[in-house]
Short mmCIF file of all heavy atoms in Angstrom, two decimals:
data_model
loop_
_atom_site.label_atom_id
_atom_site.label_comp_id
_atom_site.label_asym_id
_atom_site.label_seq_id
_atom_site.Cartn_x
_atom_site.Cartn_y
_atom_site.Cartn_z
N CYS C 598 31.41 -10.91 67.20
CA CYS C 598 32.77 -11.00 66.67
C CYS C 598 33.33 -9.59 66.51
O CYS C 598 33.44 -9.06 65.39
CB CYS C 598 32.80 -11.76 65.35
SG CYS C 598 32.33 -13.46 65.56
N VAL C 599 33.59 -8.96 67.63
CA VAL C 599 34.08 -7.59 67.60
C VAL C 599 35.48 -7.53 68.19
O VAL C 599 35.95 -8.48 68.80
CB VAL C 599 33.14 -6.65 68.39
CG1 VAL C 599 31.81 -6.52 67.69
CG2 VAL C 599 32.97 -7.15 69.81
N ALA C 600 36.11 -6.37 68.00
CA ALA C 600 37.47 -6.21 68.51
C ALA C 600 37.45 -5.95 70.01
O ALA C 600 36.45 -5.50 70.56
CB ALA C 600 38.14 -5.05 67.78
N HIS C 601 38.55 -6.29 70.65
CA HIS C 601 38.70 -5.94 72.07
C HIS C 601 40.16 -5.67 72.32
O HIS C 601 41.03 -6.20 71.64
CB HIS C 601 38.19 -7.07 72.96
CG HIS C 601 38.91 -8.35 72.75
ND1 HIS C 601 40.03 -8.71 73.44
CD2 HIS C 601 38.69 -9.34 71.85
CE1 HIS C 601 40.46 -9.88 73.01
NE2 HIS C 601 39.68 -10.29 72.04
N SER C 602 40.41 -4.84 73.30
CA SER C 602 41.79 -4.43 73.55
C SER C 602 42.28 -5.03 74.86
O SER C 602 41.58 -5.01 75.86
CB SER C 602 41.81 -2.90 73.60
OG SER C 602 42.94 -2.46 74.31
N ASP C 603 43.48 -5.57 74.83
CA ASP C 603 44.11 -6.08 76.04
C ASP C 603 44.80 -4.90 76.71
O ASP C 603 45.85 -4.43 76.25
CB ASP C 603 45.11 -7.17 75.67
CG ASP C 603 45.79 -7.77 76.91
OD1 ASP C 603 45.74 -7.13 77.98
OD2 ASP C 603 46.37 -8.86 76.78
N GLU C 604 44.20 -4.41 77.78
CA GLU C 604 44.68 -3.16 78.37
C GLU C 604 46.11 -3.25 78.87
O GLU C 604 46.84 -2.26 78.87
CB GLU C 604 43.74 -2.73 79.50
CG GLU C 604 42.39 -2.30 78.96
CD GLU C 604 41.39 -2.01 80.05
OE1 GLU C 604 41.59 -2.52 81.18
OE2 GLU C 604 40.42 -1.30 79.78
N LEU C 605 46.50 -4.43 79.26
CA LEU C 605 47.86 -4.57 79.79
C LEU C 605 48.90 -4.37 78.69
O LEU C 605 50.04 -4.02 78.95
CB LEU C 605 48.04 -5.95 80.42
CG LEU C 605 47.40 -6.10 81.79
CD1 LEU C 605 47.50 -7.53 82.27
CD2 LEU C 605 48.04 -5.14 82.80
N MET C 606 48.49 -4.62 77.46
CA MET C 606 49.43 -4.52 76.35
C MET C 606 49.31 -3.20 75.61
O MET C 606 50.19 -2.83 74.84
CB MET C 606 49.13 -5.64 75.34
CG MET C 606 49.08 -7.02 75.94
SD MET C 606 50.57 -7.87 75.54
CE MET C 606 50.22 -8.21 73.86
N CYS C 607 48.19 -2.51 75.80
CA CYS C 607 47.91 -1.32 74.98
C CYS C 607 48.88 -0.19 75.29
O CYS C 607 49.16 0.11 76.44
CB CYS C 607 46.48 -0.87 75.23
SG CYS C 607 46.05 0.65 74.36
N ASN C 608 49.39 0.43 74.23
CA ASN C 608 50.30 1.57 74.39
C ASN C 608 49.54 2.89 74.42
O ASN C 608 50.13 3.92 74.71
CB ASN C 608 51.26 1.65 73.20
CG ASN C 608 52.07 0.40 73.05
OD1 ASN C 608 52.38 -0.26 74.02
ND2 ASN C 608 52.42 0.07 71.81
N GLY C 609 48.27 2.85 74.03
CA GLY C 609 47.52 4.10 73.95
C GLY C 609 47.96 5.00 72.82
O GLY C 609 47.82 6.22 72.87
N CYS C 610 48.48 4.42 71.75
CA CYS C 610 49.11 5.24 70.71
C CYS C 610 48.11 5.80 69.70
O CYS C 610 48.45 6.61 68.85
CB CYS C 610 50.18 4.44 69.97
SG CYS C 610 49.51 3.17 68.89
N SER C 611 46.84 5.33 69.74
CA SER C 611 45.78 5.85 68.86
C SER C 611 45.81 5.35 67.42
O SER C 611 45.03 5.80 66.61
CB SER C 611 45.76 7.38 68.82
OG SER C 611 45.21 7.88 70.00
N ALA C 612 46.70 4.43 67.11
CA ALA C 612 46.73 3.91 65.73
C ALA C 612 45.40 3.24 65.39
O ALA C 612 44.87 3.41 64.29
CB ALA C 612 47.88 2.92 65.57
N CYS C 613 44.85 2.48 66.34
CA CYS C 613 43.60 1.76 66.09
C CYS C 613 42.45 2.73 65.84
O CYS C 613 41.64 2.54 64.95
CB CYS C 613 43.27 0.82 67.23
SG CYS C 613 43.34 1.59 68.85
N GLU C 614 42.42 3.77 66.65
CA GLU C 614 41.34 4.75 66.53
C GLU C 614 41.32 5.37 65.13
O GLU C 614 40.27 5.62 64.56
CB GLU C 614 41.54 5.83 67.59
CG GLU C 614 40.52 6.93 67.56
CD GLU C 614 41.04 8.19 68.25
OE1 GLU C 614 42.28 8.35 68.35
OE2 GLU C 614 40.21 8.99 68.69
N LYS C 615 42.53 5.58 64.59
CA LYS C 615 42.62 6.26 63.29
C LYS C 615 42.08 5.41 62.15
O LYS C 615 41.64 5.95 61.14
CB LYS C 615 44.09 6.61 63.00
CG LYS C 615 44.69 7.53 64.04
CD LYS C 615 45.33 8.76 63.41
CE LYS C 615 45.56 9.85 64.44
NZ LYS C 615 46.52 9.45 65.49
N VAL C 616 42.12 4.09 62.27
CA VAL C 616 41.64 3.26 61.16
C VAL C 616 40.21 2.76 61.37
O VAL C 616 39.66 2.09 60.51
CB VAL C 616 42.56 2.04 60.90
CG1 VAL C 616 43.95 2.51 60.49
CG2 VAL C 616 42.64 1.12 62.10
N CYS C 617 39.63 3.06 62.53
CA CYS C 617 38.27 2.56 62.79
C CYS C 617 37.25 3.36 62.00
O CYS C 617 37.12 4.56 62.20
CB CYS C 617 37.95 2.62 64.28
SG CYS C 617 36.28 2.01 64.62
N PRO C 618 36.49 2.69 61.10
CA PRO C 618 35.53 3.44 60.30
C PRO C 618 34.27 3.82 61.09
O PRO C 618 33.44 4.56 60.60
CB PRO C 618 35.20 2.49 59.15
CG PRO C 618 35.57 1.13 59.62
CD PRO C 618 36.58 1.28 60.71
N TYR C 619 34.12 3.27 62.28
CA TYR C 619 32.87 3.48 63.01
C TYR C 619 33.04 4.35 64.25
O TYR C 619 32.09 4.61 64.97
CB TYR C 619 32.27 2.13 63.42
CG TYR C 619 32.08 1.24 62.23
CD1 TYR C 619 32.99 0.22 61.96
CD2 TYR C 619 31.04 1.45 61.35
CE1 TYR C 619 32.84 -0.58 60.83
CE2 TYR C 619 30.89 0.66 60.23
CZ TYR C 619 31.79 -0.36 59.97
OH TYR C 619 31.63 -1.12 58.87
N GLY C 620 34.27 4.77 64.53
CA GLY C 620 34.50 5.55 65.74
C GLY C 620 34.18 4.73 66.99
O GLY C 620 33.65 5.26 67.97
N ALA C 621 34.48 3.46 66.94
CA ALA C 621 34.10 2.58 68.05
C ALA C 621 35.14 2.58 69.17
O ALA C 621 34.90 2.00 70.23
CB ALA C 621 33.89 1.15 67.54
N ILE C 622 36.29 3.20 68.93
CA ILE C 622 37.38 3.10 69.91
C ILE C 622 37.54 4.42 70.66
O ILE C 622 37.58 5.49 70.06
CB ILE C 622 38.69 2.70 69.21
CG1 ILE C 622 38.51 1.35 68.54
CG2 ILE C 622 39.85 2.66 70.22
CD1 ILE C 622 39.63 0.94 67.61
N THR C 623 37.58 4.32 71.97
CA THR C 623 37.82 5.51 72.79
C THR C 623 38.97 5.20 73.74
O THR C 623 39.36 4.03 73.89
CB THR C 623 36.58 5.89 73.62
OG1 THR C 623 36.13 4.71 74.29
CG2 THR C 623 35.48 6.45 72.75
N TYR C 624 39.48 6.23 74.38
CA TYR C 624 40.64 6.05 75.28
C TYR C 624 40.31 6.57 76.65
O TYR C 624 39.55 7.51 76.81
CB TYR C 624 41.87 6.78 74.71
CG TYR C 624 42.33 6.14 73.45
CD1 TYR C 624 41.80 6.53 72.23
CD2 TYR C 624 43.27 5.11 73.47
CE1 TYR C 624 42.17 5.91 71.07
CE2 TYR C 624 43.67 4.49 72.31
CZ TYR C 624 43.11 4.89 71.11
OH TYR C 624 43.48 4.26 69.96
N GLN C 625 40.91 5.93 77.63
CA GLN C 625 40.81 6.49 78.97
C GLN C 625 42.12 6.23 79.71
O GLN C 625 42.86 5.32 79.37
CB GLN C 625 39.63 5.92 79.73
CG GLN C 625 39.67 4.42 79.91
CD GLN C 625 38.28 3.85 79.70
OE1 GLN C 625 37.98 3.22 78.70
NE2 GLN C 625 37.41 4.09 80.66
N ASP C 626 42.37 7.06 80.72
CA ASP C 626 43.55 6.86 81.57
C ASP C 626 43.16 5.91 82.68
O ASP C 626 42.17 6.12 83.36
CB ASP C 626 44.02 8.19 82.14
CG ASP C 626 44.66 9.05 81.06
OD1 ASP C 626 45.24 8.46 80.12
OD2 ASP C 626 44.54 10.28 81.13
N LYS C 627 43.94 4.87 82.83
CA LYS C 627 43.62 3.87 83.85
C LYS C 627 44.83 3.62 84.71
O LYS C 627 45.96 3.67 84.24
CB LYS C 627 43.19 2.55 83.18
CG LYS C 627 41.72 2.45 82.93
CD LYS C 627 41.35 0.99 82.68
CE LYS C 627 39.84 0.83 82.57
NZ LYS C 627 39.49 -0.53 82.17
N GLU C 628 44.55 3.28 85.94
CA GLU C 628 45.65 2.99 86.85
C GLU C 628 45.95 1.50 86.83
O GLU C 628 45.05 0.68 86.89
CB GLU C 628 45.29 3.43 88.27
CG GLU C 628 46.48 3.57 89.17
CD GLU C 628 46.10 4.19 90.50
OE1 GLU C 628 45.41 5.23 90.50
OE2 GLU C 628 46.50 3.63 91.52
N PHE C 629 47.21 1.18 86.66
CA PHE C 629 47.59 -0.23 86.60
C PHE C 629 48.59 -0.56 87.68
O PHE C 629 49.48 0.24 87.98
CB PHE C 629 48.21 -0.55 85.24
CG PHE C 629 47.22 -0.55 84.14
CD1 PHE C 629 46.94 0.61 83.43
CD2 PHE C 629 46.54 -1.71 83.82
CE1 PHE C 629 46.01 0.62 82.43
CE2 PHE C 629 45.60 -1.71 82.80
CZ PHE C 629 45.33 -0.54 82.11
N ARG C 630 48.45 -1.72 88.23
CA ARG C 630 49.49 -2.22 89.14
C ARG C 630 50.54 -2.90 88.30
O ARG C 630 50.25 -3.80 87.54
CB ARG C 630 48.90 -3.22 90.12
CG ARG C 630 48.20 -2.56 91.29
CD ARG C 630 47.70 -3.62 92.25
NE ARG C 630 48.78 -4.13 93.11
CZ ARG C 630 49.20 -3.50 94.21
NH1 ARG C 630 48.65 -2.37 94.56
NH2 ARG C 630 50.17 -4.02 94.94
#
Side-chain angles (χ1 to χ4, degrees):
Chain C
C598 294
V599 292
H601 59 91
S602 158
D603 181 342
E604 291 174 338
L605 284 174
M606 307 257 285
C607 177
N608 302 329
C610 72
S611 285
C613 50
E614 178 201 23
K615 300 232 164 64
V616 297
C617 180
Y619 305 101
I622 300 169
T623 50
Y624 293 87
Q625 60 220 106
D626 288 329
K627 270 198 174 173
E628 198 172 311
F629 289 90
R630 279 183 79 81

